[in-house]
């Protein structure tokens, strides 16, 4: 899936494509404006990718202290980019990863 296909699915679908990883599902919900669902999904994503998503979500929420914690867990510097710009960066990064299917 390309970034444009991902974004088109946000505009046209009621739910994320099943082929998306949990990380991309979380970002799909965030892009759709459903912060709560995005956060619920993000809580179950281990490792740096999940932490980066979590940081972005907490920035959007306005909880910068919590966001800083998640940036540290992700091994990333705190972003100064607009939330949507950083979110697109995360989406592009995850789309390049070889394993994109959701785990049951």
């Amino acid at each position: 899936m390309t970034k444009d296909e991902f974004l088109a699915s946000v505009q046209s679908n009621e739910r994320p494509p099943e082929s998306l990883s949990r990380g991309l599902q979380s970002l799909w919900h965030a892009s759709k404006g459903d912060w709560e669902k995005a956060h619920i999904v993000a809580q179950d994503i281990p490792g740096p990718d999940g932490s980066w998503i979590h940081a972005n979500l907490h920035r959007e929420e306005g909880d910068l202290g919590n966001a800083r914690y998640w940036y540290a867990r992700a091994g990333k510097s705190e972003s100064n980019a607009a939330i949507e710009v950083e979110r697109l960066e995360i989406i592009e990064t995850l789309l390049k990863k070889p394993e994109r299917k959701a785990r049951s």
Side-chain angles (χ1 to χ4, degrees):
M1 175 177 283
T2 67
K3 176 183 75 166
D4 290 338
E5 290 168 335
F6 177 91
L7 296 174
S9 79
V10 170
Q11 295 301 314
S12 62
N13 296 350
E14 289 297 313
R15 56 186 124 191
E18 291 182 20
S19 62
L20 295 180
S21 68
R22 298 289 288 161
L24 287 167
Q25 287 178 24
S26 175
L27 294 163
W28 188 94
H29 288 292
S31 297
K32 195 87 166 164
D34 190 346
W35 188 94
E36 287 294 328
K37 181 67 175 174
H39 189 253
I40 288 168
V41 174
Q43 289 179 357
D44 293 330
I45 304 168
D49 291 341
S51 295
W52 191 14
I53 295 164
H54 225 119
N56 178 265
L57 290 172
H58 283 291
R59 275 186 66 217
E60 180 177 31
E61 179 189 33
D63 187 350
L64 299 182
N66 203 352
R68 286 184 193 104
Y69 167 81
W70 289 105
Y71 280 117
R73 296 274 313 255
K76 300 230 173 245
S77 298
E78 186 177 349
S79 178
N80 292 321
I83 290 162
E84 297 81 10
V85 170
E86 181 190 28
R87 188 165 292 153
L88 285 174
E89 179 184 355
I90 302 169
I91 290 166
E92 289 175 325
T93 299
L94 295 184
L95 284 170
K96 291 177 185 173
K97 293 194 177 255
E99 178 58 40
R100 293 191 300 271
K101 285 193 174 182
R103 294 194 178 141
S104 305

